[in-house]
């Protein structure tokens, strides 16, 4: 039988990660070391108390039934987390869980957009920011972010007619892949812009606990008027090293949360109860490992960004996220060409910036997922072989 697939599938190619993984497997046959900076999964363990709760709760057969809803304890833990961590007051009705931020951002547009409605998304930016609205039938319009402007959205760059038509804007700082933080003034302007043009804000806050140089990551919801215009998506994946135990929250505007709950009730039966309990333990328990990890990420950031700069790369120290963002050497025509040559010559795996949008071309992203010692070794290998 000839199967004819949807036109939508034409926009998805075999991911660069599959190509990289094949290359890495080939390279490893040489016996030389691989320095894999391509994967955005923390190499740290979850805190012991989180793993203990998850394994204990997995022993009870009743916990394998459909959870259907969020346990009130879970919502209260998220509410208290927001108060303690960001000084944001929320009602339980303004909070819901999802299977990770990725899932939230891939589906929330069904509740906000009809076919062809405009969603503004960053270029460069994390891929789901454009894949999500596209899957839901919305029309993606990119807003451009430039190094010269600290990769900050300049609201004057959005044409008036586009702003008037736009339904939603996706914003995320600290921003993966460019590693910059937004100022307070930026969020104040964002809320003003959203109100002026009646645009819903979705703020992805995956990295507020991985910010450097003594700065404290904030919540979009801590700014006046934020709840009126949008929601924040916040994940336990990176702060608590729980990427595989899928859980995040959507918080803020009550109407959006209610509608999204209705949509999800059509396709989902609730988060596995041991994961709900583990998330409660993560949020209510000791937070010292969050700080410990941040300190280690900063040491890695210093080793990588300073190390590459010292050997001639055009790279700034990351302000936040678990990544570094570097310009490619000028002799290369594209970030993909550089990525493949780098891997061939050094065993260093990175992600080409073009994966994150047209303005990511000319850059590569490196994840801070290997030790300081190995990072220093990788920098030396690059210096000697490239
Ligand atoms: C900006 C950003 N948002 C969301 C995610 C996905 O997070 P989750 O594991 O909660 O789906 C990632 C993962 O790398 C990310 O970088």
């Amino acid at each position: 039988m000839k199967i004819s697939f949807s036109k939508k599938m034409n926009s998805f190619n075999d991911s660069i990660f599959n190509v990289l993984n094949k290359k890495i497997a080939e390279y490893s046959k040489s016996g030389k070391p691989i320095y894999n900076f391509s994967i955005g999964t923390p190499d740290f363990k979850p805190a012991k108390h989180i793993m203990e709760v998850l394994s204990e709760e997995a022993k009870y057969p009743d916990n394998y039934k459909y959870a259907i809803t969020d346990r009130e304890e879970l919502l209260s833990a998220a509410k208290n987390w927001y108060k303690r961590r960001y000084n944001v007051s929320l009602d339980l009705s303004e909070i819901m869980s999802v299977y990770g931020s990725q899932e939230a951002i891939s589906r929330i547009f069904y509740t906000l957009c009809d076919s062809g409605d405009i969603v503004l998304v960053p270029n460069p930016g994390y891929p789901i920011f454009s894949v999500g609205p596209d899957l839901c039938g919305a029309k993606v319009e990119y807003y451009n972010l430039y190094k010269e402007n600290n990769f900050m959205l300049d609201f004057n760059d959005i044409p008036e007619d586009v702003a008037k038509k736009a339904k939603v804007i996706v914003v995320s700082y600290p921003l993966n892949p460019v590693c910059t933080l937004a100022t307070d003034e930026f969020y104040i302007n964002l809320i003003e812009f959203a109100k002026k043009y009646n645009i819903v804000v979705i703020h992805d806050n995956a990295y507020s606990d991985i910010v450097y140089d003594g700065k404290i990551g904030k919540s979009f919801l801590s700014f006046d008027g934020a709840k009126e215009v949008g929601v924040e998506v916040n994940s336990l994946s990176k702060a608590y090293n729980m990427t595989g135990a899928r859980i995040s929250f959507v918080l803020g505007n009550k109407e959006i949360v209610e509608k999204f709950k209705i949509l999800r009730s059509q396709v989902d039966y609730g988060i596995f109860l041991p994961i709900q309990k583990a998330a409660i333990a993560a949020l209510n328990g000791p937070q010292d490992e969050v700080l410990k990890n941040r300190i280690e990420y900063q040491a890695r950031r210093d080793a990588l960004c300073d190390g590459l700069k010292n050997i001639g790369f055009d790279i700034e120290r990351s302000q936040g996220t678990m990544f570094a963002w570097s310009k490619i050497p000028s002799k290369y025509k594209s970030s993909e060409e550089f990525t493949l040559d780098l891997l061939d010559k050094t065993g260093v795996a990175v992600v080409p910036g073009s994966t994150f949008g047209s303005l990511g071309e000319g850059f590569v992203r490196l994840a801070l997922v290997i030790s300081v010692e190995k990072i220093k070794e990788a920098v030396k290998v690059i210096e000697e072989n490239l």
Side-chain angles (χ1 to χ4, degrees):
M1 188 176 100
K2 175 151 173 37
I3 299 175
S4 108
F5 291 97
S6 65
K7 290 193 189 75
K8 177 83 51 207
M9 284 312 297
N10 296 335
S11 51
F12 303 122
N13 301 317
D14 198 16
S15 136
I16 180 71
F17 290 100
N18 294 340
V19 179
L20 279 177
N21 286 339
K22 273 183 214 147
K23 284 251 166 209
I24 290 170
E26 259 168 49
Y27 188 91
S28 58
K29 284 185 202 146
S30 71
K32 289 192 227 155
I34 297 274
Y35 305 93
N36 195 346
F37 292 96
S38 68
I39 310 158
T41 301
D43 58 322
F44 303 129
K45 289 188 199 135
K48 202 160 159 254
H49 65 276
I50 302 175
M51 292 195 284
E52 278 171 1
V53 170
L54 186 58
S55 43
E56 182 58 30
E57 293 297 330
K59 289 182 192 154
Y60 300 107
D62 269 358
N63 281 346
Y64 289 79
K65 293 180 177 161
Y66 290 133
I68 309 287
T69 55
D70 292 328
R71 292 295 176 267
E72 194 169 323
E73 269 176 284
L74 177 71
L75 297 177
S76 296
K79 174 189 157 104
N80 295 337
W81 171 44
Y82 257 64
K83 186 68 197 164
R84 197 182 56 236
R85 172 67 185 80
Y86 303 111
N87 198 23
V88 170
S89 301
L90 291 164
D91 191 76
L92 297 190
S93 61
E94 294 169 327
I95 307 170
M96 66 187 284
S97 73
V98 281
Y99 287 101
S101 305
Q102 189 88 354
E103 190 249 339
I105 301 167
S106 67
R107 285 182 173 157
I108 197 165
F109 301 95
Y110 282 118
T111 67
L112 293 162
C113 298
D114 287 311
S115 176
D117 282 346
I118 291 177
V119 178
L120 301 169
V121 309
N123 176 16
Y126 184 60
I128 198 68
F129 297 160
S130 48
V131 172
D134 183 46
L135 281 176
C136 302
K139 179 168 183 276
V140 169
E141 288 271 358
Y142 291 100
Y143 58 82
N144 295 338
L145 304 177
Y146 300 104
K147 187 167 187 262
E148 303 68 46
N149 197 25
N150 193 33
F151 295 104
M152 205 55 55
L153 160 61
D154 182 345
F155 293 96
N156 296 322
D157 277 355
I158 301 178
E160 179 91 15
D161 59 320
V162 174
K164 277 185 178 157
K165 279 190 272 174
K167 197 92 191 271
V168 186
I169 183 167
V170 182
V171 176
S172 178
Y173 290 101
L175 179 59
N176 174 9
V178 299
C179 313
T180 53
L181 293 182
T183 57
D184 288 2
E185 193 192 355
F186 170 80
Y187 286 110
I188 293 164
N189 292 339
L190 172 65
I191 293 164
E192 197 181 296
F193 172 79
K195 284 186 178 166
K196 179 171 175 193
Y197 293 105
N198 206 30
I199 298 176
V200 169
V201 176
I202 296 176
H203 184 251
D204 181 9
N205 203 13
Y207 295 104
S208 65
D209 276 319
I210 312 178
V211 298
Y212 304 123
D213 305 316
K215 297 218 172 84
I216 308 281
K218 292 194 175 179
S219 163
F220 157 69
L221 299 176
S222 64
F223 294 90
D224 279 350
K227 254 198 238 178
E228 219 181 292
V229 299
V231 288
E232 179 154 278
V233 186
N234 206 335
S235 175
L236 273 68
S237 286
K238 307 296 164 87
Y240 297 96
N241 304 317
M242 290 172 65
T243 44
R246 308 293 297 137
I247 186 160
S248 288
F249 294 94
V250 175
L251 319 97
N253 187 279
K254 189 176 163 178
E255 276 182 276
I256 299 175
V257 168
E258 271 172 6
K259 276 276 190 279
F260 197 25
K261 276 188 194 162
I262 292 172
L263 177 91
R264 289 187 82 262
S265 72
Q266 304 300 307
V267 291
D268 176 69
Y269 288 131
I271 304 239
F272 185 42
L273 283 169
I275 293 182
Q276 294 201 30
K277 304 267 169 109
I280 295 166
L283 298 177
N284 289 345
Q287 303 291 305
D288 41 327
E289 300 223 3
V290 177
L291 177 64
K292 203 174 103 200
N293 293 339
R294 184 188 312 153
I295 291 168
E296 176 60 19
Y297 276 129
Q298 182 164 322
R300 293 175 179 188
R301 187 264 330 236
D302 294 350
L304 185 64
C305 297
D306 297 0
L308 289 178
K309 198 166 191 111
N310 287 341
I311 61 168
F313 277 76
D314 184 353
I315 180 171
E316 303 300 324
R317 278 184 161 189
S318 311
Q319 298 163 13
T321 77
M322 52 178 289
F323 304 103
W325 184 242
S326 174
K327 277 221 161 154
I328 62 172
S330 54
K331 69 173 180 179
Y332 291 93
K333 283 195 213 69
S334 73
S335 55
E336 199 160 323
E337 184 196 321
F338 171 65
T339 299
L340 297 178
D341 196 43
L342 183 69
L343 185 54
D344 273 347
K345 291 190 171 137
T346 66
V348 172
V350 301
V351 181
S354 51
T355 313
F356 304 97
S358 61
L359 293 180
E361 185 49 87
F363 293 85
V364 285
R365 190 195 75 176
L366 302 97
L368 303 170
V369 290
I370 59 180
S371 68
V372 168
E373 195 194 345
K374 286 274 169 206
I375 290 174
K376 287 185 176 164
E377 212 177 284
V379 172
K380 201 152 170 266
V381 174
I382 296 173
E383 186 180 20
E384 287 168 359
N385 294 283
L386 211 66

